Amino acid sequence: MNVTPSPSPSPSPAGRWQTLRPWLGIAARLGLAAVWLIAGGTKVGDLAASGRAVNAYQVMPYDLATVIGAALPFVELALGLLLLAGLATRVSAGVSAALLVVFIAGIASAWARGLAIDCGCFGSGGQLAAGETPSYLPEILRDLGFLALAGFLLIWPRTPFSVDGWLAGDDTVEDEDE
């Protein structure tokens, strides 16, 4: 008599999601951390250029744009470090989402008003030279992708290998539905 083992049932979609979600979360957290660390790191060496990039949007007085431009790299670096460590992940994701919405609105505003600027997201930015054309749509789509990462972390902030998990007394996230 031959007994053929029945195939094991495939995991349910909910079971697959519970297995996959923590790893998607760590990818989102580390990806967004890299974005902020690169963005802040490229600007922190020239705070005046960062101020000029903010001023190029022509939405606030020059002095305020300069102060915001000088502070922005440090905010980006702080967000990157918090996300890298997985500390205050939901708060960091919320601040990230708010900043990204402001960035998207700023780029859309510059586009709608016919300004020819480089967004300054990953460098000095500012007015483009004569003959150069801005790339607003790719910049907005890129920032929408980053906003999706922040949104994921707002909904599911706990990820493996995070200080948040360590402080909560576990590094597992299987039962979390915050």
Side-chain angles (χ1 to χ4, degrees):
M1 176 164 148
N2 288 341
V3 177
T4 305
S6 63
S8 61
S10 63
S12 69
R16 281 192 295 258
W17 174 247
Q18 287 297 348
T19 302
L20 187 58
R21 188 197 46 76
W23 302 107
L24 290 174
I26 198 167
R29 181 170 58 85
L30 295 178
L32 197 54
V35 166
W36 291 130
L37 290 171
I38 292 167
T42 59
K43 291 182 270 199
V44 76
D46 190 354
L47 299 179
S50 183
R52 287 190 301 274
V54 172
N55 188 57
Y57 285 89
Q58 301 175 14
V59 293
M60 61 189 76
Y62 177 79
D63 291 336
L64 181 58
T66 302
V67 169
I68 290 173
L72 189 59
F74 297 102
V75 171
E76 292 169 337
L77 289 170
L79 286 170
L81 291 172
L82 286 169
L83 288 165
L84 184 64
L87 178 61
T89 303
R90 182 170 276 154
V91 172
S92 299
V95 173
S96 295
L99 271 177
L100 288 162
V101 167
V102 168
F103 293 165
I104 292 165
I107 294 167
S109 170
W111 191 6
R113 292 180 291 135
L115 299 178
I117 63 172
D118 177 352
C119 75
C121 300
F122 295 97
S124 58
Q127 297 292 330
L128 292 176
E132 288 187 277
T133 56
S135 57
Y136 295 129
L137 182 59
E139 291 167 353
I140 289 171
L141 294 174
R142 176 203 61 213
D143 286 354
L144 286 171
F146 297 154
L147 184 58
L149 297 177
F152 187 98
L153 292 171
L154 274 168
I155 298 167
W156 298 288
R158 294 271 297 280
T159 61
F161 312 111
S162 67
V163 174
D164 288 340
W166 178 75
L167 289 173
D170 70 355
D171 202 26
T172 62
V173 293
E174 293 177 22
D175 295 329
E176 180 217 349
D177 280 322
E178 293 183 48

